[in-house]
Amino acid sequence: MGTAHLRCGDDLRARLPAAGWAGDYLAFADPVCQGPVGADGLMAYLGIRARFVALHYGAALQDVRLRLGAEYAALNGLDRFERVLLWFEHDLWDQAALIRVLGLLAERRALEGRLFLMPADGVRPFAALPDAELAALAPAPLTRAQLEAGALAWEGFAAEDPRTLDGLWRRPSPLPHLSAAMRRHLQDLPWTTDGLALTERLLLQAVAAGASEDGAVLRAMLAADPVFQVTDLIILDLRARLAEGPRRLLERGAAWRLTAQGEAVLRGEARHVPAPRFQGGVTVGPNAPWCWDPRFGGVVEARA
């Protein structure tokens, strides 16, 4: 029967055997923290996810469909393993993937006693640990309360109304890093103060501070936000979004530069009008119904 290592990416595929962790490596690479997730039924969900990933990552749609289909099918085969070790870290990317997985596995009674959560320290990614530290990690049995907390969080994450999720992150969770990640997810709704999402604001601040090329922007954003560790593709996606339209916030061209509108929004003298997109199950756009209010520290209905 053996062991399965379930991880949201391939970064540990070679590292785990080197650190003494034997078993099958199963990558779950659906970037759940980006794009639409609200769909009834797994096949409909896979369809919208494949289209989003193909469009935003410049991949062939059929290739994405095949990969996502294989990764979700692999979850159905977990019963054959004696142990399933869940390698998910503290940040939003991993926690969103974790609750997606737990939402699918919560009713799989055959897996009870076989699921184990690997202990993330809340600071370093697993890939940054030396082999000796990876080898010394002790898997903790995943409890029924943790499974149910993950499934409930997924329902809130995928809902059109974000208030359920806004209530969940405020309560103590049996999943140690979930509350901070879900709060961070909701902070990427448009803010009542300026219309920017938190990630958008951090990007504009990095550019305003002098980051003028891709690598510098990425490094500045990683240093500024330990809960949502963005990737190079995420910042390029953000750049494309913020450089569109007559009221764009970023200049087009090789160098990263703020427009006059971007400078005004960052100073609090103008308001950003969000382009259409999805934040989990929530629709964001010029007339988005939900905002993040930093004064209240939570989700509020947008003013008419």
Side-chain angles (χ1 to χ4, degrees):
M1 295 172 71
T3 297
H5 301 280
L6 186 61
R7 171 69 173 157
C8 53
D10 286 312
D11 59 337
L12 296 181
R13 188 179 293 275
R15 292 290 316 284
L16 294 184
W21 289 101
D24 289 11
Y25 189 97
L26 305 178
F28 181 82
D30 185 1
V32 178
C33 63
Q34 292 182 277
V37 297
D40 294 328
L42 183 58
M43 294 307 295
Y45 174 88
L46 291 175
I48 66 169
R49 294 303 297 164
R51 288 191 292 274
F52 170 79
V53 172
L55 175 63
H56 286 262
Y57 288 82
L61 178 59
Q62 185 61 22
D63 292 343
V64 176
R65 284 182 183 273
L66 290 173
R67 173 158 185 169
L68 286 178
E71 290 176 357
Y72 277 84
L75 298 179
N76 289 328
L78 293 179
D79 298 11
R80 64 190 177 93
F81 294 100
E82 183 179 0
R83 295 195 309 168
V84 179
L85 306 186
L86 305 174
W87 295 82
F88 294 87
E89 291 148 12
H90 67 283
D91 73 351
L92 173 56
W93 186 288
D94 286 46
Q95 291 295 300
L98 176 62
I99 62 173
R100 179 54 176 143
V101 168
L102 296 185
L104 293 169
L105 301 185
E107 300 306 319
R108 299 273 295 279
R109 297 294 177 176
L111 289 173
E112 286 192 5
R114 301 188 193 185
L115 299 174
F116 295 81
L117 191 62
M118 300 305 294
D121 66 11
V123 179
R124 298 172 298 171
F126 288 122
L129 301 181
D131 286 351
E133 285 194 55
L134 276 179
L137 294 177
L142 195 75
T143 67
R144 168 51 52 180
Q146 288 175 316
L147 267 170
E148 291 176 353
L152 189 61
W154 174 254
E155 290 181 8
F157 189 93
E160 295 180 5
D161 185 335
R163 287 176 294 185
T164 296
L165 189 63
D166 190 46
L168 282 175
W169 75 259
R170 300 172 188 278
R171 303 199 293 268
S173 174
L175 292 167
H177 305 294
L178 183 62
S179 292
M182 294 302 98
R183 179 177 186 270
R184 179 62 183 84
H185 166 73
L186 293 170
Q187 287 177 313
D188 266 345
L189 293 172
W191 283 33
T192 55
T193 50
D194 55 17
L196 290 171
L198 178 54
T199 307
E200 294 170 341
R201 186 178 298 101
L202 292 175
L203 185 144
L204 296 180
Q205 289 172 344
V207 176
S212 60
E213 49 89 17
D214 297 355
V217 173
L218 179 60
R219 289 190 295 272
M221 294 189 69
L222 290 175
D225 188 356
V227 182
F228 186 23
Q229 293 283 278
V230 297
T231 66
D232 53 349
L233 292 177
I234 289 176
I235 67 165
L236 292 178
D237 186 52
L238 281 167
R239 183 182 192 183
R241 188 167 83 215
L242 296 177
E244 286 184 347
R247 301 178 68 185
R248 57 184 177 271
L249 307 184
L250 291 172
E251 297 282 5
R252 297 168 182 155
W256 292 70
R257 288 196 301 271
L258 298 181
T259 62
Q261 176 71 6
E263 292 174 352
V265 169
L266 201 53
R267 289 194 303 266
E269 298 170 357
R271 184 174 181 83
H272 175 54
V273 179
R277 62 179 177 87
F278 290 94
Q279 187 66 20
V282 181
T283 301
V284 174
N287 299 308
W290 305 105
C291 293
W292 177 268
D293 188 338
R295 294 159 295 190
F296 162 65
V299 172
V300 297
E301 290 190 71
R303 296 176 181 174

